[in-house]
CSV table of all heavy atoms in Angstrom, one decimal:
chain,number,residue,atom,x,y,z
A,1,MET,N,46.1,-61.1,-33.3
A,1,MET,CA,45.5,-61.1,-34.6
A,1,MET,C,46.5,-60.6,-35.6
A,1,MET,O,47.2,-59.6,-35.4
A,1,MET,CB,44.3,-60.1,-34.6
A,1,MET,CG,43.1,-60.7,-35.3
A,1,MET,SD,41.8,-59.5,-35.3
A,1,MET,CE,40.9,-60.0,-33.9
A,2,PRO,N,46.5,-61.2,-36.7
A,2,PRO,CA,47.6,-60.8,-37.7
A,2,PRO,C,47.2,-59.5,-38.4
A,2,PRO,O,46.0,-59.2,-38.5
A,2,PRO,CB,47.6,-62.0,-38.7
A,2,PRO,CG,46.5,-62.9,-38.4
A,2,PRO,CD,45.8,-62.4,-37.2
A,3,ASP,N,48.2,-59.0,-38.9
A,3,ASP,CA,48.1,-57.7,-39.6
A,3,ASP,C,48.3,-58.1,-41.1
A,3,ASP,O,49.3,-58.6,-41.5
A,3,ASP,CB,49.3,-56.9,-39.1
A,3,ASP,CG,49.4,-55.5,-39.7
A,3,ASP,OD1,48.4,-55.0,-40.3
A,3,ASP,OD2,50.5,-54.9,-39.6
A,4,TYR,N,47.3,-57.8,-41.9
A,4,TYR,CA,47.4,-58.1,-43.3
A,4,TYR,C,47.6,-56.9,-44.2
A,4,TYR,O,47.1,-55.8,-43.9
A,4,TYR,CB,46.1,-58.8,-43.8
A,4,TYR,CG,46.0,-60.2,-43.2
A,4,TYR,CD1,45.1,-60.4,-42.2
A,4,TYR,CD2,46.7,-61.2,-43.7
A,4,TYR,CE1,44.9,-61.7,-41.6
A,4,TYR,CE2,46.6,-62.5,-43.1
A,4,TYR,CZ,45.7,-62.7,-42.1
A,4,TYR,OH,45.5,-64.0,-41.6
A,5,GLU,N,48.3,-57.1,-45.3
A,5,GLU,CA,48.5,-56.0,-46.2
A,5,GLU,C,47.6,-56.1,-47.4
A,5,GLU,O,47.3,-57.2,-47.9
A,5,GLU,CB,49.9,-56.0,-46.7
A,5,GLU,CG,50.8,-55.7,-45.5
A,5,GLU,CD,52.3,-55.4,-46.0
A,5,GLU,OE1,52.6,-55.7,-47.1
A,5,GLU,OE2,53.0,-54.9,-45.2
A,6,PHE,N,47.1,-55.0,-47.9
A,6,PHE,CA,46.2,-54.9,-49.0
A,6,PHE,C,46.8,-53.8,-49.9
A,6,PHE,O,47.5,-53.0,-49.5
A,6,PHE,CB,44.8,-54.6,-48.6
A,6,PHE,CG,44.2,-55.6,-47.8
A,6,PHE,CD1,44.4,-55.7,-46.4
A,6,PHE,CD2,43.4,-56.6,-48.4
A,6,PHE,CE1,43.8,-56.6,-45.6
A,6,PHE,CE2,42.9,-57.6,-47.6
A,6,PHE,CZ,43.0,-57.6,-46.2
A,7,TYR,N,46.3,-53.9,-51.1
A,7,TYR,CA,46.7,-52.9,-52.1
A,7,TYR,C,45.4,-52.5,-52.8
A,7,TYR,O,44.6,-53.3,-53.3
A,7,TYR,CB,47.7,-53.5,-53.1
A,7,TYR,CG,48.1,-52.5,-54.2
A,7,TYR,CD1,49.0,-51.5,-53.9
A,7,TYR,CD2,47.6,-52.6,-55.5
A,7,TYR,CE1,49.4,-50.6,-54.9
A,7,TYR,CE2,48.0,-51.8,-56.5
A,7,TYR,CZ,48.9,-50.7,-56.2
A,7,TYR,OH,49.2,-49.9,-57.1
A,8,CYS,N,45.2,-51.2,-53.0
A,8,CYS,CA,44.0,-50.7,-53.7
A,8,CYS,C,44.5,-50.3,-55.1
A,8,CYS,O,45.3,-49.4,-55.2
A,8,CYS,CB,43.4,-49.5,-53.0
A,8,CYS,SG,42.0,-48.8,-53.9
A,9,ARG,N,44.0,-50.9,-56.1
A,9,ARG,CA,44.4,-50.6,-57.5
A,9,ARG,C,43.8,-49.2,-57.9
A,9,ARG,O,44.3,-48.6,-58.8
A,9,ARG,CB,43.8,-51.7,-58.4
A,9,ARG,CG,44.7,-52.9,-58.4
A,9,ARG,CD,44.2,-53.9,-59.5
A,9,ARG,NE,42.9,-54.4,-59.1
A,9,ARG,CZ,42.7,-55.7,-58.7
A,9,ARG,NH1,43.7,-56.5,-58.7
A,9,ARG,NH2,41.5,-56.1,-58.4
A,10,ARG,N,42.7,-48.9,-57.3
A,10,ARG,CA,42.1,-47.6,-57.6
A,10,ARG,C,43.0,-46.4,-57.2
A,10,ARG,O,43.2,-45.5,-57.9
A,10,ARG,CB,40.7,-47.6,-57.0
A,10,ARG,CG,39.9,-46.4,-57.3
A,10,ARG,CD,38.6,-46.5,-56.4
A,10,ARG,NE,37.8,-45.4,-56.5
A,10,ARG,CZ,36.8,-45.2,-57.4
A,10,ARG,NH1,36.6,-46.1,-58.3
A,10,ARG,NH2,36.1,-44.1,-57.3
A,11,CYS,N,43.4,-46.5,-55.9
A,11,CYS,CA,44.2,-45.4,-55.3
A,11,CYS,C,45.7,-45.7,-55.5
A,11,CYS,O,46.5,-44.8,-55.1
A,11,CYS,CB,43.9,-45.3,-53.9
A,11,CYS,SG,42.1,-45.1,-53.5
A,12,LYS,N,46.1,-46.8,-55.9
A,12,LYS,CA,47.5,-47.2,-56.0
A,12,LYS,C,48.1,-47.1,-54.6
A,12,LYS,O,49.2,-46.5,-54.5
A,12,LYS,CB,48.2,-46.5,-57.1
A,12,LYS,CG,47.7,-46.7,-58.5
A,12,LYS,CD,48.5,-45.9,-59.5
A,12,LYS,CE,48.2,-46.4,-60.9
A,12,LYS,NZ,46.8,-46.5,-61.2
A,13,LYS,N,47.4,-47.6,-53.7
A,13,LYS,CA,47.9,-47.4,-52.3
A,13,LYS,C,47.9,-48.7,-51.6
A,13,LYS,O,47.0,-49.5,-51.7
A,13,LYS,CB,46.9,-46.4,-51.6
A,13,LYS,CG,47.3,-45.9,-50.3
A,13,LYS,CD,46.3,-45.0,-49.7
A,13,LYS,CE,46.5,-44.8,-48.2
A,13,LYS,NZ,47.6,-43.9,-48.0
A,14,GLN,N,48.9,-48.9,-50.8
A,14,GLN,CA,49.0,-50.1,-50.0
A,14,GLN,C,48.6,-49.7,-48.6
A,14,GLN,O,48.9,-48.6,-48.1
A,14,GLN,CB,50.5,-50.6,-50.0
A,14,GLN,CG,50.6,-51.9,-49.4
A,14,GLN,CD,51.9,-52.6,-49.8
A,14,GLN,OE1,52.5,-52.3,-50.8
A,14,GLN,NE2,52.3,-53.6,-49.1
A,15,TYR,N,47.9,-50.6,-47.9
A,15,TYR,CA,47.5,-50.4,-46.6
A,15,TYR,C,47.4,-51.7,-45.8
A,15,TYR,O,47.4,-52.7,-46.4
A,15,TYR,CB,46.1,-49.6,-46.6
A,15,TYR,CG,45.0,-50.3,-47.3
A,15,TYR,CD1,44.1,-51.1,-46.6
A,15,TYR,CD2,44.9,-50.2,-48.7
A,15,TYR,CE1,43.1,-51.7,-47.3
A,15,TYR,CE2,43.9,-50.9,-49.3
A,15,TYR,CZ,43.0,-51.6,-48.6
A,15,TYR,OH,42.0,-52.3,-49.3
A,16,ALA,N,47.4,-51.6,-44.5
A,16,ALA,CA,47.3,-52.7,-43.7
A,16,ALA,C,46.0,-52.7,-42.9
A,16,ALA,O,45.5,-51.7,-42.6
A,16,ALA,CB,48.5,-52.8,-42.8
A,17,ALA,N,45.6,-53.9,-42.5
A,17,ALA,CA,44.4,-54.0,-41.7
A,17,ALA,C,44.5,-55.2,-40.8
A,17,ALA,O,45.2,-56.2,-41.1
A,17,ALA,CB,43.2,-54.2,-42.6
A,18,TRP,N,44.0,-55.0,-39.6
A,18,TRP,CA,44.0,-56.1,-38.6
A,18,TRP,C,42.7,-56.9,-38.8
A,18,TRP,O,41.6,-56.3,-38.7
A,18,TRP,CB,44.0,-55.5,-37.2
A,18,TRP,CG,45.3,-54.9,-36.9
A,18,TRP,CD1,45.7,-53.6,-37.2
A,18,TRP,CD2,46.4,-55.5,-36.3
A,18,TRP,NE1,46.9,-53.4,-36.8
A,18,TRP,CE2,47.4,-54.5,-36.2
A,18,TRP,CE3,46.7,-56.7,-35.8
A,18,TRP,CZ2,48.7,-54.7,-35.6
A,18,TRP,CZ3,47.9,-57.0,-35.2
A,18,TRP,CH2,48.9,-56.0,-35.1
A,19,MET,N,42.8,-58.1,-39.0
A,19,MET,CA,41.6,-59.0,-39.1
A,19,MET,C,42.0,-60.4,-38.8
A,19,MET,O,43.1,-60.8,-38.8
A,19,MET,CB,40.9,-58.8,-40.4
A,19,MET,CG,41.8,-59.0,-41.6
A,19,MET,SD,40.9,-59.1,-43.2
A,19,MET,CE,39.9,-57.8,-43.2
A,20,SER,N,41.0,-61.2,-38.4
A,20,SER,CA,41.2,-62.6,-38.1
A,20,SER,C,41.5,-63.3,-39.4
A,20,SER,O,41.2,-62.9,-40.5
A,20,SER,CB,40.1,-63.2,-37.3
A,20,SER,OG,39.0,-63.3,-38.2
A,21,VAL,N,42.1,-64.5,-39.2
A,21,VAL,CA,42.4,-65.3,-40.4
A,21,VAL,C,41.1,-65.6,-41.1
A,21,VAL,O,41.0,-65.6,-42.4
A,21,VAL,CB,43.0,-66.6,-39.9
A,21,VAL,CG1,43.2,-67.6,-41.1
A,21,VAL,CG2,44.4,-66.3,-39.3
A,22,LYS,N,40.0,-65.9,-40.4
A,22,LYS,CA,38.7,-66.2,-41.0
A,22,LYS,C,38.2,-65.0,-41.8
A,22,LYS,O,37.8,-65.1,-42.9
A,22,LYS,CB,37.8,-66.6,-39.9
A,22,LYS,CG,36.4,-67.0,-40.4
A,22,LYS,CD,35.6,-67.6,-39.3
A,22,LYS,CE,34.3,-68.2,-39.7
A,22,LYS,NZ,33.4,-67.2,-40.2
A,23,GLU,N,38.3,-63.8,-41.2
A,23,GLU,CA,37.8,-62.6,-41.9
A,23,GLU,C,38.6,-62.4,-43.2
A,23,GLU,O,38.1,-62.0,-44.2
A,23,GLU,CB,38.0,-61.4,-41.0
A,23,GLU,CG,36.9,-61.1,-40.1
A,23,GLU,CD,37.2,-59.8,-39.3
A,23,GLU,OE1,38.2,-59.7,-38.7
A,23,GLU,OE2,36.3,-58.9,-39.4
A,24,HIS,N,39.9,-62.6,-43.1
A,24,HIS,CA,40.8,-62.4,-44.2
A,24,HIS,C,40.4,-63.4,-45.3
A,24,HIS,O,40.5,-63.1,-46.5
A,24,HIS,CB,42.2,-62.6,-43.8
A,24,HIS,CG,43.2,-62.4,-44.8
A,24,HIS,ND1,44.0,-63.4,-45.4
A,24,HIS,CD2,43.6,-61.3,-45.5
A,24,HIS,CE1,44.8,-62.9,-46.3
A,24,HIS,NE2,44.6,-61.6,-46.4
A,25,ASP,N,40.0,-64.6,-45.0
A,25,ASP,CA,39.5,-65.5,-46.0
A,25,ASP,C,38.2,-65.1,-46.6
A,25,ASP,O,38.0,-65.3,-47.8
A,25,ASP,CB,39.2,-66.9,-45.3
A,25,ASP,CG,40.4,-67.8,-45.2
A,25,ASP,OD1,41.5,-67.4,-45.8
A,25,ASP,OD2,40.3,-68.9,-44.6
A,26,GLU,N,37.4,-64.4,-45.9
A,26,GLU,CA,36.1,-64.1,-46.4
A,26,GLU,C,35.9,-62.8,-47.0
A,26,GLU,O,35.0,-62.6,-47.8
A,26,GLU,CB,35.1,-64.2,-45.2
A,26,GLU,CG,34.9,-65.6,-44.7
A,26,GLU,CD,34.1,-65.7,-43.4
A,26,GLU,OE1,33.8,-64.6,-42.8
A,26,GLU,OE2,33.7,-66.8,-43.1
A,27,ARG,N,36.8,-61.9,-46.7
A,27,ARG,CA,36.5,-60.5,-47.2
A,27,ARG,C,37.8,-59.7,-47.4
A,27,ARG,O,38.9,-60.2,-46.9
A,27,ARG,CB,35.5,-59.8,-46.4
A,27,ARG,CG,36.1,-59.5,-45.0
A,27,ARG,CD,35.0,-58.8,-44.1
A,27,ARG,NE,35.5,-58.4,-42.8
A,27,ARG,CZ,36.2,-57.2,-42.6
A,27,ARG,NH1,36.4,-56.4,-43.5
A,27,ARG,NH2,36.6,-57.0,-41.4
A,28,LEU,N,37.7,-58.6,-48.0
A,28,LEU,CA,38.8,-57.7,-48.1
A,28,LEU,C,38.6,-56.5,-47.2
A,28,LEU,O,37.5,-56.1,-46.9
A,28,LEU,CB,38.9,-57.2,-49.6
A,28,LEU,CG,39.2,-58.3,-50.6
A,28,LEU,CD1,38.8,-57.8,-52.0
A,28,LEU,CD2,40.7,-58.6,-50.6
A,29,ALA,N,39.7,-56.0,-46.7
A,29,ALA,CA,39.6,-54.7,-45.9
A,29,ALA,C,39.3,-53.6,-46.8
A,29,ALA,O,39.9,-53.5,-47.9
A,29,ALA,CB,40.9,-54.5,-45.2
A,30,GLU,N,38.6,-52.6,-46.4
A,30,GLU,CA,38.3,-51.5,-47.3
A,30,GLU,C,39.5,-50.5,-47.3
A,30,GLU,O,40.2,-50.3,-46.3
A,30,GLU,CB,36.9,-50.9,-46.9
A,30,GLU,CG,36.9,-50.0,-45.7
A,30,GLU,CD,35.6,-49.3,-45.6
A,30,GLU,OE1,34.5,-49.8,-46.0
A,30,GLU,OE2,35.5,-48.3,-44.9
A,31,CYS,N,39.6,-49.9,-48.4
A,31,CYS,CA,40.7,-48.9,-48.6
A,31,CYS,C,40.4,-47.7,-47.7
A,31,CYS,O,39.3,-47.2,-47.8
A,31,CYS,CB,40.7,-48.6,-50.1
A,31,CYS,SG,41.8,-47.2,-50.4
A,32,PRO,N,41.4,-47.2,-47.0
A,32,PRO,CA,41.2,-46.0,-46.2
A,32,PRO,C,41.0,-44.8,-47.1
A,32,PRO,O,40.4,-43.8,-46.5
A,32,PRO,CB,42.5,-45.9,-45.4
A,32,PRO,CG,43.5,-46.7,-46.1
A,32,PRO,CD,42.7,-47.8,-46.9
A,33,GLU,N,41.3,-44.8,-48.3
A,33,GLU,CA,41.2,-43.6,-49.2
A,33,GLU,C,39.8,-43.6,-49.8
A,33,GLU,O,39.1,-42.6,-49.7
A,33,GLU,CB,42.2,-43.7,-50.3
A,33,GLU,CG,43.6,-43.5,-49.9
A,33,GLU,CD,43.9,-42.2,-49.3
A,33,GLU,OE1,43.5,-41.2,-50.0
A,33,GLU,OE2,44.7,-42.1,-48.4
A,34,CYS,N,39.4,-44.6,-50.4
A,34,CYS,CA,38.1,-44.6,-51.2
A,34,CYS,C,37.0,-45.4,-50.5
A,34,CYS,O,35.9,-45.4,-51.0
A,34,CYS,CB,38.4,-45.1,-52.6
A,34,CYS,SG,38.9,-46.8,-52.7
A,35,HIS,N,37.4,-46.1,-49.4
A,35,HIS,CA,36.4,-46.9,-48.7
A,35,HIS,C,35.7,-48.0,-49.5
A,35,HIS,O,34.5,-48.2,-49.4
A,35,HIS,CB,35.4,-46.0,-48.0
A,35,HIS,CG,36.1,-45.1,-47.0
A,35,HIS,ND1,36.6,-45.5,-45.8
A,35,HIS,CD2,36.4,-43.8,-47.2
A,35,HIS,CE1,37.2,-44.4,-45.3
A,35,HIS,NE2,37.1,-43.4,-46.1
A,36,ARG,N,36.4,-48.5,-50.4
A,36,ARG,CA,35.9,-49.6,-51.3
A,36,ARG,C,36.7,-50.8,-51.1
A,36,ARG,O,37.8,-50.8,-50.7
A,36,ARG,CB,35.9,-49.1,-52.7
A,36,ARG,CG,35.0,-47.9,-53.0
A,36,ARG,CD,35.3,-47.4,-54.3
A,36,ARG,NE,35.0,-48.3,-55.4
A,36,ARG,CZ,34.1,-48.0,-56.3
A,36,ARG,NH1,33.5,-46.9,-56.4
A,36,ARG,NH2,33.8,-48.9,-57.2
A,37,THR,N,36.1,-51.9,-51.5
A,37,THR,CA,36.9,-53.2,-51.5
A,37,THR,C,37.0,-53.8,-52.9
A,37,THR,O,37.8,-54.7,-53.1
A,37,THR,CB,36.2,-54.2,-50.6
A,37,THR,OG1,34.9,-54.5,-51.1
A,37,THR,CG2,36.1,-53.8,-49.2
A,38,ASP,N,36.3,-53.2,-53.9
A,38,ASP,CA,36.2,-53.9,-55.2
A,38,ASP,C,37.5,-53.7,-56.0
A,38,ASP,O,37.8,-54.5,-56.9
A,38,ASP,CB,35.0,-53.4,-56.0
A,38,ASP,CG,35.1,-51.9,-56.2
A,38,ASP,OD1,35.6,-51.2,-55.4
A,38,ASP,OD2,34.5,-51.5,-57.3
A,39,GLN,N,38.4,-52.8,-55.6
A,39,GLN,CA,39.6,-52.7,-56.3
A,39,GLN,C,40.8,-53.1,-55.4
A,39,GLN,O,42.0,-52.9,-55.7
A,39,GLN,CB,39.9,-51.2,-56.7
A,39,GLN,CG,38.9,-50.8,-57.8
A,39,GLN,CD,39.0,-51.6,-59.1
A,39,GLN,OE1,40.1,-51.7,-59.6
A,39,GLN,NE2,37.9,-52.1,-59.5
A,40,ALA,N,40.5,-53.7,-54.3
A,40,ALA,CA,41.5,-54.1,-53.3
A,40,ALA,C,42.0,-55.5,-53.7
A,40,ALA,O,41.3,-56.3,-54.2
A,40,ALA,CB,40.9,-54.1,-51.9
A,41,GLU,N,43.2,-55.7,-53.4
A,41,GLU,CA,43.8,-57.1,-53.5
A,41,GLU,C,44.6,-57.4,-52.3
A,41,GLU,O,45.2,-56.5,-51.7
A,41,GLU,CB,44.5,-57.2,-54.8
A,41,GLU,CG,45.7,-56.4,-55.0
A,41,GLU,CD,46.4,-56.6,-56.3
A,41,GLU,OE1,45.7,-56.7,-57.3
A,41,GLU,OE2,47.6,-56.6,-56.4
A,42,LYS,N,44.6,-58.6,-52.0
A,42,LYS,CA,45.4,-59.1,-50.9
A,42,LYS,C,46.9,-59.1,-51.2
A,42,LYS,O,47.3,-59.6,-52.3
A,42,LYS,CB,45.0,-60.5,-50.4
A,42,LYS,CG,43.6,-60.5,-49.8
A,42,LYS,CD,43.1,-61.9,-49.6
A,42,LYS,CE,41.7,-61.9,-49.1
A,42,LYS,NZ,41.1,-63.2,-48.9
A,43,ARG,N,47.7,-58.6,-50.3
A,43,ARG,CA,49.1,-58.7,-50.5
A,43,ARG,C,49.7,-59.6,-49.4
A,43,ARG,O,49.3,-59.4,-48.2
A,43,ARG,CB,49.8,-57.3,-50.3
A,43,ARG,CG,49.7,-56.4,-51.5
A,43,ARG,CD,50.7,-56.9,-52.5
A,43,ARG,NE,50.5,-56.3,-53.8
A,43,ARG,CZ,51.0,-55.1,-54.2
A,43,ARG,NH1,51.8,-54.4,-53.4
A,43,ARG,NH2,50.8,-54.7,-55.4
A,44,LEU,N,50.5,-60.5,-49.8
A,44,LEU,CA,51.2,-61.2,-48.7
A,44,LEU,C,52.6,-60.6,-48.6
A,44,LEU,O,53.2,-60.2,-49.5
A,44,LEU,CB,51.4,-62.7,-49.2
A,44,LEU,CG,50.0,-63.4,-49.5
A,44,LEU,CD1,50.3,-64.8,-49.9
A,44,LEU,CD2,49.1,-63.4,-48.3
A,45,SER,N,53.0,-60.6,-47.3
A,45,SER,CA,54.3,-59.9,-47.1
A,45,SER,C,55.4,-60.7,-47.9
A,45,SER,O,56.4,-60.1,-48.4
A,45,SER,CB,54.6,-59.8,-45.6
A,45,SER,OG,53.7,-60.5,-44.9
A,46,ASP,N,55.3,-62.0,-47.9
A,46,ASP,CA,56.1,-62.7,-48.8
A,46,ASP,C,55.5,-62.7,-50.2
A,46,ASP,O,54.5,-63.3,-50.5
A,46,ASP,CB,56.1,-64.2,-48.5
A,46,ASP,CG,57.1,-64.5,-47.4
A,46,ASP,OD1,58.1,-63.8,-47.3
A,46,ASP,OD2,56.9,-65.5,-46.7
A,47,PHE,N,56.1,-62.0,-51.0
A,47,PHE,CA,55.5,-61.5,-52.2
A,47,PHE,C,55.2,-62.5,-53.3
A,47,PHE,O,55.0,-62.2,-54.4
A,47,PHE,CB,56.4,-60.3,-52.5
A,47,PHE,CG,57.0,-60.1,-53.9
A,47,PHE,CD1,56.3,-59.3,-54.8
A,47,PHE,CD2,58.2,-60.7,-54.2
A,47,PHE,CE1,56.8,-59.1,-56.0
A,47,PHE,CE2,58.7,-60.4,-55.5
A,47,PHE,CZ,58.0,-59.7,-56.3
A,48,PHE,N,55.2,-63.7,-52.9
A,48,PHE,CA,55.0,-64.7,-53.9
A,48,PHE,C,53.6,-64.9,-54.4
A,48,PHE,O,53.3,-64.8,-55.5
A,48,PHE,CB,55.6,-66.0,-53.6
A,48,PHE,CG,55.0,-66.8,-52.5
A,48,PHE,CD1,54.4,-68.1,-52.9
A,48,PHE,CD2,55.0,-66.4,-51.2
A,48,PHE,CE1,53.9,-68.8,-51.9
A,48,PHE,CE2,54.5,-67.2,-50.3
A,48,PHE,CZ,53.9,-68.4,-50.6
A,49,ALA,N,52.6,-65.0,-53.6
A,49,ALA,CA,51.3,-65.3,-54.1
A,49,ALA,C,50.4,-64.1,-54.3
A,49,ALA,O,49.9,-63.5,-53.3
A,49,ALA,CB,50.6,-66.3,-53.3
A,50,ARG,N,50.2,-63.6,-55.4
A,50,ARG,CA,49.1,-62.8,-55.8
A,50,ARG,C,48.0,-63.7,-55.8
A,50,ARG,O,47.7,-64.5,-56.8
A,50,ARG,CB,49.3,-62.4,-57.3
A,50,ARG,CG,50.1,-61.1,-57.5
A,50,ARG,CD,49.2,-60.0,-57.3
A,50,ARG,NE,49.9,-58.8,-57.7
A,50,ARG,CZ,49.6,-58.1,-58.9
A,50,ARG,NH1,48.8,-58.6,-59.7
A,50,ARG,NH2,50.2,-57.0,-59.1
A,51,THR,N,47.2,-63.8,-54.7
A,51,THR,CA,46.2,-64.8,-54.6
A,51,THR,C,45.3,-64.9,-55.8
A,51,THR,O,44.6,-64.0,-56.2
A,51,THR,CB,45.3,-64.6,-53.4
A,51,THR,OG1,45.1,-63.2,-53.3
A,51,THR,CG2,46.0,-65.1,-52.1
A,52,SER,N,45.3,-66.1,-56.4
A,52,SER,CA,44.4,-66.3,-57.4
A,52,SER,C,43.0,-66.6,-56.8
A,52,SER,O,42.9,-67.4,-55.9
A,52,SER,CB,44.8,-67.5,-58.3
A,52,SER,OG,45.0,-68.6,-57.4
A,53,ARG,N,42.1,-65.8,-57.2
A,53,ARG,CA,40.8,-65.8,-56.5
A,53,ARG,C,40.0,-67.1,-56.8
A,53,ARG,O,39.8,-67.5,-57.9
A,53,ARG,CB,39.9,-64.7,-57.2
A,53,ARG,CG,40.2,-63.4,-56.6
A,53,ARG,CD,38.9,-62.7,-56.7
A,53,ARG,NE,39.1,-61.4,-56.2
A,53,ARG,CZ,38.4,-60.3,-56.7
A,53,ARG,NH1,37.5,-60.5,-57.6
A,53,ARG,NH2,38.6,-59.1,-56.2
A,54,LYS,N,39.6,-67.6,-55.7
A,54,LYS,CA,38.6,-68.7,-55.8
A,54,LYS,C,37.2,-68.1,-55.9
A,54,LYS,O,36.9,-67.1,-55.2
A,54,LYS,CB,38.6,-69.6,-54.5
A,54,LYS,CG,39.9,-70.3,-54.3
A,54,LYS,CD,39.8,-71.1,-53.0
A,54,LYS,CE,41.2,-71.5,-52.6
A,54,LYS,NZ,41.2,-71.9,-51.2
A,55,SER,N,36.4,-68.6,-56.7
A,55,SER,CA,35.1,-68.2,-56.9
A,55,SER,C,34.9,-66.8,-57.3
A,55,SER,O,35.0,-65.9,-56.5
A,55,SER,CB,34.1,-68.5,-55.8
A,55,SER,OG,34.3,-67.6,-54.7
B,101,LIG,ZN1,41.3,-47.0,-52.7
């Protein structure tokens, strides 16, 4: 299972989470600091795509 990187804008903290590709498509991992997902964004290790959100 891949290891994905996320960034929490609220805590200004980067963190990693293990999730399946499908999970990664469907949801964000919660921040270990604030336990929220609403300020989280997906980070790709190749720093090109700040994923533009669908829907
Ligand atoms: Zn946070």
Side-chain angles (χ1 to χ4, degrees):
M1 222 183 270
D3 180 21
Y4 290 105
E5 291 190 350
F6 296 86
Y7 178 77
C8 179
R9 283 187 288 250
R10 185 184 171 90
C11 306
K12 298 181 167 45
K13 190 180 166 75
Q14 191 162 339
Y15 57 98
W18 292 85
M19 48 169 53
S20 67
V21 175
K22 185 169 185 292
E23 274 183 305
H24 183 252
D25 272 355
E26 290 172 350
R27 64 182 184 88
L28 295 161
E30 75 175 28
C31 172
E33 296 289 319
C34 62
H35 302 285
R36 296 167 65 120
T37 58
D38 61 331
Q39 295 297 307
E41 61 184 43
K42 292 172 184 175
R43 279 282 167 92
L44 302 179
S45 7
D46 277 331
F47 130 90
F48 71 113
R50 274 274 189 108
T51 41
S52 54
R53 276 208 184 152
K54 293 177 198 165
S55 79

